[in-house]
Amino acid sequence: MDNARAAEIDTSLKRLHGSHNARQLSGLHEEAASMMADADAQRFHLTHAWVYALVEGREDRIAALETRLQNADGLATPP
């Protein structure tokens, strides 16, 4: 894991918390998920990335993140 990049992501997430910049927050959470070794931490960040993609209304990102969440056992597969 790139500790310097992880620190930058953490700082940016804290700075943007409560803002209306869903695109940037989604991207940062998705990047953070890719840096996590722990499956629970990955699901946490993927879920946040997905929610911000929903807020933004980016259908392509929503679908991609849903697939990643399903593969990570973080979102039930629809019947």
Side-chain angles (χ1 to χ4, degrees), residues 19-45:
S19 73
H20 297 287
N21 195 336
R23 179 179 290 240
Q24 194 170 10
L25 286 162
S26 181
L28 287 167
H29 276 291
E30 188 172 7
E31 186 177 353
S34 70
M35 300 177 83
M36 299 290 131
D38 179 72
D40 289 335
Q42 288 174 0
R43 284 188 293 270
F44 172 86
H45 284 290

Side-chain angles (χ1 to χ4, degrees):
M1 177 192 313
D2 180 352
N3 290 333
R5 181 61 185 145
E8 289 173 15
I9 291 170
D10 186 56
T11 298
S12 294
L13 286 170
K14 288 174 182 173
R15 180 178 47 82
L16 292 168
H17 182 75
S19 73
H20 297 287
N21 195 336
R23 179 179 290 240
Q24 194 170 10
L25 286 162
S26 181
L28 287 167
H29 276 291
E30 188 172 7
E31 186 177 353
S34 70
M35 300 177 83
M36 299 290 131
D38 179 72
D40 289 335
Q42 288 174 0
R43 284 188 293 270
F44 172 86
H45 284 290
L46 285 173
T47 300
H48 280 75
W50 177 64
V51 168
Y52 285 118
L54 287 167
V55 168
E56 190 181 8
R58 294 183 60 199
E59 296 296 328
D60 59 328
R61 296 305 310 138
I62 293 166
L65 289 163
E66 283 177 357
T67 298
R68 287 187 67 188
L69 275 166
Q70 289 166 347
N71 292 338
D73 294 326
L75 188 65
T77 304

